[in-house]
Amino acid sequence: MNPHPVSVPPHHEAVEHFEDAARKLRERFRSYVSEALPGFARRLFEREWQEVANLENIDSIPPLALAYLTSCERCVYDVLNKNHEGAASAHFEKCVSEAANDIRAKVIASWRYEGDVLRIPGKRTA
C-alpha cells in the first residue's frame, strides 16, 4: 500500500464538469426531440428508447433510437467543442429539429398500405 495520498490530476474537476454538462445536454436533447415529435412518432420513439435500455448488443439498436443517438452525439460534440457557427442555442435547436424530422420520416417510411388499410408498426416481437 502506498503511504502517500493519491493525488487527483489537476484537470480532474474540469473533466467531471465537462462530463456532467454532456450528460445534461443529452437529457435535454432527448426531452426536446420527444416534445418536437407528433404523438404517433413520439410513442414509437419512446418505445424504442425503452428497448435501448435493455440491449445487450450494440448491433441491435432499433432504427429510431439509432437516428436519435447519432443526432444527439453529433450535437453534443458540436456544442461542447464549439464546432458550430453562431450561438450554441441556435445550433442546439437546429439539431433538435433535424433529429425530430429524421425520426418522423423514419416512422412514416415504416408505414405500409395493405389494400386500403394503413398498417402502422406495432411492438416488435423477437
Side-chain angles (χ1 to χ4, degrees):
M1 185 169 207
N2 188 348
H4 304 294
V6 176
S7 64
V8 177
H11 301 293
H12 181 72
E13 188 174 324
V15 169
E16 285 181 357
H17 287 300
F18 192 78
E19 289 174 348
D20 186 53
R23 181 186 53 76
K24 288 177 181 174
L25 197 54
R26 286 182 186 102
E27 290 171 3
R28 179 170 282 175
F29 190 84
R30 187 177 109 30
S31 172
Y32 282 31
V33 167
S34 185
E35 288 175 15
L37 292 169
F40 65 90
R42 183 179 309 122
R43 285 186 297 278
L44 291 173
F45 169 67
E46 293 294 340
R47 183 184 315 145
E48 285 195 5
W49 187 248
Q50 293 302 316
E51 289 176 21
V52 170
N54 300 322
L55 284 182
E56 295 178 10
N57 185 346
I58 194 165
D59 295 330
S60 60
I61 297 176
L64 302 181
L66 182 60
Y68 161 76
L69 286 169
T70 303
S71 297
C72 179
E73 289 308 308
R74 187 179 320 117
C75 184
V76 168
Y77 176 85
D78 288 348
V79 170
L80 293 177
N81 290 294
K82 298 181 181 178
N83 189 27
H84 55 85
E85 297 290 325
S89 59
H91 181 72
F92 182 84
E93 290 173 13
K94 178 181 171 219
C95 292
V96 165
S97 177
E98 289 172 353
N101 288 339
D102 188 28
I103 291 169
R104 185 181 314 111
K106 287 183 184 318
V107 169
I108 292 170
S110 71
W111 296 354
R112 54 180 205 270
Y113 283 95
E114 294 176 4
D116 290 336
V117 178
L118 175 64
R119 299 283 181 202
I120 299 173
K123 176 126 177 83
R124 288 188 216 149
T125 56

